[in-house]
Amino acid sequence: MGKFSPTKLRGECEEIANPSTAYGRRRRNWTDAHGFVPPGQVVDASCDNRHCITLQHAYLRPRVEQPGTYRKIANRVHKLKIGQHFDVRGVGTDERSRSRFRSGLYAAARLDKVSVRGQADGSVRVTKIGEWSSLRG
């Protein structure tokens, strides 16, 4: 049987060390208390603490998908100088939404090296950190 991840109290939050484990635990706690999570919804923490698994802080919000906008965001990145950045709102605070956004943007911004950092308000900061050189001659 697998190990059970320990939790610790910090203020009103019960925290777990790994954010992706916290996401799964928050979802399981919600399911145990309220039933299934509807399609297209995620269980997030109202305290904006990615490590929080407290049921009283859990709420449902729509999963933010932006499939048609990756190309537009990649074009915006391409126009930036190295080191410049901009924020994209509404990506989500859970690791799954941010990871999905990051993957989509990386695929669309093929020629640019990009850094994607999550912000506490659910937005992400997209920074151009370089350009890939063409190896074809």
Side-chain angles (χ1 to χ4, degrees):
M1 183 176 266
K3 286 185 177 179
F4 186 76
S5 298
T7 62
K8 62 181 177 181
L9 288 175
R10 180 171 291 163
E12 295 181 358
C13 296
E14 182 180 3
E15 293 184 343
I16 196 162
N18 187 329
S20 67
T21 304
Y23 171 79
R25 197 84 158 279
R26 215 174 15 251
R27 185 177 175 93
R28 190 180 71 218
N29 290 347
W30 179 272
T31 303
D32 291 347
H34 303 288
F36 76 98
V37 176
Q41 298 279 308
V42 294
V43 182
D44 208 347
S46 61
C47 58
D48 290 328
N49 181 349
R50 297 180 330 147
H51 301 272
C52 180
I53 61 169
T54 305
L55 183 60
Q56 290 79 11
H57 296 178
Y59 74 100
L60 289 177
R61 70 161 177 80
R63 173 176 280 130
V64 179
E65 302 285 343
Q66 301 174 329
T69 60
Y70 295 127
R71 184 76 253 158
K72 291 176 188 173
I73 294 170
N75 288 339
R76 231 177 122 187
V77 168
H78 192 65
K79 294 175 186 175
L80 295 176
K81 293 180 181 174
I82 295 172
Q84 291 182 321
H85 62 84
F86 60 89
D87 292 344
V88 178
R89 298 178 148 211
V91 174
T93 56
D94 62 290
E95 192 59 35
R96 189 176 205 179
S97 296
R98 288 182 178 170
S99 180
R100 184 170 289 182
F101 175 84
R102 188 177 289 116
S103 297
L105 181 58
Y106 287 168
R110 294 180 200 150
L111 299 176
D112 297 306
K113 292 180 184 178
V114 178
S115 168
V116 178
R117 301 273 182 209
Q119 306 292 317
D121 64 355
S123 66
V124 293
R125 176 155 293 165
V126 179
T127 306
K128 183 173 182 176
I129 58 173
E131 296 176 347
W132 294 103
S133 62
S134 175
L135 298 176
R136 297 180 195 167

